[in-house]
Amino acid sequence: MSEQNLISPPVKPGIRRLSSISTNLEDLALGPSVVVPPEHMHKPSDAHETAAAMEMAKHRLQERYNQDGEATPPTPRETLVTDQYAFAFDIDGVLIRGGKPIPQAVEAMKVLNGQNEYGVKVPYIFVTNGGGKTEQERCLDLSRQLELEISPGQFICGHTPMREMAQKYGTVLVVGGEGEKCRAVAEGYGFKDVVTPGDIIKDNQDTTPFRKLTADESDHSRARNFGEAEIDAIFVFADSRDWAGDQQIILDVLMSKHGRLGTRSETFDEGPPIYFSHNDIVWSTSHQLTRVGMGALRVSLEAMYKAMTGKELISTAFGKPQIGTFQFATRLLQQWRKDTHGIDAPPQTVYFVGDTPESDIRGTNEFNASGLAGNQWCSILVRTGVFQAGSKPAFTPNATVDNVLDAVKWGIQREVDKSLKSKVQQLSEQQEAIAEE
């Protein structure tokens, strides 16, 4: 018997498909039938409606068959959740490009949610170096783009691990993003005293000679006497919208005495630490060529700091390819599987799908080789983002495919092949044991 038949028993000939909208008892009385829910009930967000419709159909069929003294017909296969493997996805260049879904992305999510030949659902999470918004806001955006419901429990932004540092620092400078969004993110993480470049410029407009606050920026910036404040740490949450102004302010703080603006250290080792939410030099947008990202800002700051002080700037980056981000993703995935699917154990294999060899593939490979994962992490590189066909990736993935749908199919097929190989091995061992007896 084939693998497909083992998974999906054949439907009994003669059973008719009826609509759950128009079916009545007279239709059911005409013979064996299956009541099919309407199309809109097939969507993941309406799963409870689908379940109710199918249960009613099953009940009616059982009544009909039992009245005729016949055996109960085969029950349609249920969609099961695998506990063996899971997926993790980068977003920009893999699922989304320029704010729009990559054509195969929606179909890939449907496959993971059970619309595949094996009738299996596969748990998944999203791990992006992007940020600048709350995880909840990013989930709403991605839910609309991919036409499915995504929970913050499935989502890691580049700055998500920074929330674990909220209790360590008092006053922090948060840089990047649009308007006041990054301040709101930081305060949501529990940081108690968050200042922005706008606050500093409002206090002293001569801080940035070539940048003046707009009326709206001035209204939303908070008045403060920075001559009396000490900044304990700098966090670059998202890409800067004003490199010149933000770099000037960051350098002022780094070279200060204990984070007090208007002072200058003589030794240049008294300033606060600086953290970046990721280190991607380039990223994929709607433009035909990649654009510079936060990693480029970090390189620029390091060069200017060295030129001005003669010393190397010591900084810390989160995000991919940092091992800590993958450890954080492991904890998130295990918690998501437990809360949503009742699976209280890590998957044997995690397939990470990314478009950037220097962060996605490198991070996955190094985490897998580190001995810290506790399971296997398998890297899949797609050609829809930073990496393009015809070039050689700096870090070698386990597989290279055209798009995210191909990545999902590759991972699922690999698991099916592993399962079949295991079953063949078990059968062979059983036959050998019988022969020895």
Side-chain angles (χ1 to χ4, degrees), residues 184-246:
V185 173
E187 291 176 342
Y189 287 169
F191 287 96
K192 298 178 179 61
D193 187 15
V194 181
V195 301
T196 68
D199 298 345
I200 294 172
I201 298 172
K202 186 171 184 174
D203 179 55
N204 183 353
Q205 63 180 357
D206 295 327
T207 300
T208 53
F210 304 111
R211 179 188 174 188
K212 305 301 177 185
L213 297 181
T214 66
D216 183 66
E217 289 174 332
S218 181
D219 289 342
H220 287 91
S221 297
R222 299 175 184 174
R224 184 169 190 158
N225 180 3
F226 282 95
E228 300 177 352
E230 291 187 355
I231 295 173
D232 299 320
I234 305 167
F235 290 90
V236 184
F237 264 50
D239 287 296
S240 168
R241 270 52 174 179
D242 174 34
W243 273 41
D246 287 347

Side-chain angles (χ1 to χ4, degrees), residues 150-185:
I150 296 170
S151 165
Q154 294 173 274
F155 208 97
I156 298 177
C157 293
H159 48 61
T160 302
M162 290 179 173
R163 67 187 182 194
E164 297 183 340
M165 306 183 74
Q167 303 306 314
K168 184 176 181 179
Y169 298 109
T171 301
V172 298
L173 170 64
V174 169
V175 179
E178 299 175 359
E180 294 287 296
K181 288 185 177 181
C182 283
R183 191 203 305 263
V185 173

Side-chain angles (χ1 to χ4, degrees), residues 24 29 44 58 60 64 144 164 175 211 225 233 238 246 267 276 304 315 332 334 340 350 373 404 413 426:
N24 53 41
K58 177 181 176 182
R60 290 175 176 173
R64 174 61 186 165
R144 286 191 292 266
E164 297 183 340
V175 179
R211 179 188 174 188
N225 180 3
D246 287 347
T267 58
F276 295 84
M304 286 191 289
S315 61
L332 182 83
Q334 184 164 345
T340 307
V350 178
V404 65
Q413 188 59 52
Q426 291 176 6

Side-chain angles (χ1 to χ4, degrees), residues 13 25 43 53 122 140 172 218 234-235 264 284 287 301 408 425:
L25 292 176
K43 298 180 180 179
V122 185
L140 288 174
V172 298
S218 181
I234 305 167
F235 290 90
R264 185 61 54 94
S284 177
H287 197 275
L301 277 167
V408 167
Q425 180 65 29

